[in-house]
Amino acid sequence: MNNKKSNTVSASKVTLTELMLPSHSNFSGKIHGGYLLQLMDQIAFASASKYSGCYCVTASVDIVNFLNPIEIGELVTLKASVNYVGTSSMVVGIRVVSENIQTGKVKHCNSSYFTMVAKDEAGNTTKVPHLVLSNSEEVRRFFDSLRRINQKKNLIQLEEKFEHLSEESLASLKNHNVVVKL
């Protein structure tokens, strides 16, 4: 465990660049989303571990929208940094871009947020250093993470209260492409 009381966002920054090979492709000849998720999980681990000085595990992954396909032969660059810290958790922001080596064209492929949890040698959660925010962009990313965390908590509360078999809920399904036969 790292005994530092605080750490900076820049201490968590990690960049990973990899050439996309035919072995990384799916049936349509584009880079497989599962392979990209694997790379994202690796860089989230590296960023969180670098920041905290601890072994880290993935607790959750926020929405991953595949914005643009990645072609075989393109260079994919993933950039990650810690955007938010709790007691033992960290939100790692990840941006993925690809570059066509021949044309130099760069496209944004996706962005996502991985929540990582620091563990000690016994496998128990452990405290992470306080996050030092050094500029307005880091403050914005921290508040964005806080907003997503609060939205997730509110959604969980709504889901716990939602009665899916009520007459009102079942009646609302008429607006969707579904048939209910109970």
Side-chain angles (χ1 to χ4, degrees), residues 22-165:
S23 61
H24 304 139
S25 67
N26 59 23
F27 295 112
S28 68
K30 309 296 183 194
I31 299 308
H32 195 287
Y35 182 70
L36 191 56
L37 285 169
Q38 178 184 348
L39 293 177
M40 293 170 74
D41 192 50
Q42 288 174 10
I43 199 167
F45 168 83
S47 177
S49 296
K50 184 178 175 190
Y51 174 83
S52 67
C54 302
Y55 177 76
C56 296
V57 297
T58 306
S60 70
V61 178
D62 278 3
I63 296 171
V64 179
N65 291 320
F66 295 94
L67 305 172
N68 288 297
I70 301 171
E71 307 291 335
I72 295 168
E74 290 185 332
L75 280 178
V76 169
T77 299
L78 298 91
K79 292 185 176 189
S81 65
V82 170
N83 292 348
Y84 170 91
V85 298
T87 304
S88 62
S89 65
M90 296 151 281
V91 173
V92 176
I94 302 168
R95 181 176 174 88
V96 180
V97 297
S98 67
E99 178 183 0
N100 181 307
I101 295 172
Q102 282 107 12
T103 67
K105 182 181 177 189
V106 175
K107 58 188 174 184
H108 178 211
C109 299
N110 73 41
S111 295
S112 188
Y113 304 93
F114 280 52
T115 300
M116 308 298 289
V117 175
K119 299 286 187 168
D120 63 17
E121 295 79 17
N124 300 311
T125 58
T126 188
K127 289 185 177 186
V128 298
H130 297 290
L131 185 61
V132 177
L133 303 175
S134 303
N135 59 52
S136 60
E137 182 65 13
E138 292 173 1
V139 171
R140 182 191 64 77
R141 288 179 179 171
F142 184 90
F143 275 117
D144 284 350
S145 294
L146 194 56
R147 179 183 44 80
R148 280 189 304 278
I149 290 165
N150 287 330
Q151 285 174 336
K152 199 182 300 185
K153 286 178 183 175
N154 291 339
L155 183 59
I156 290 169
Q157 288 175 346
L158 284 173
E159 288 173 349
E160 288 173 352
K161 294 176 186 175
F162 182 71
E163 179 52 57
H164 64 282
L165 292 178

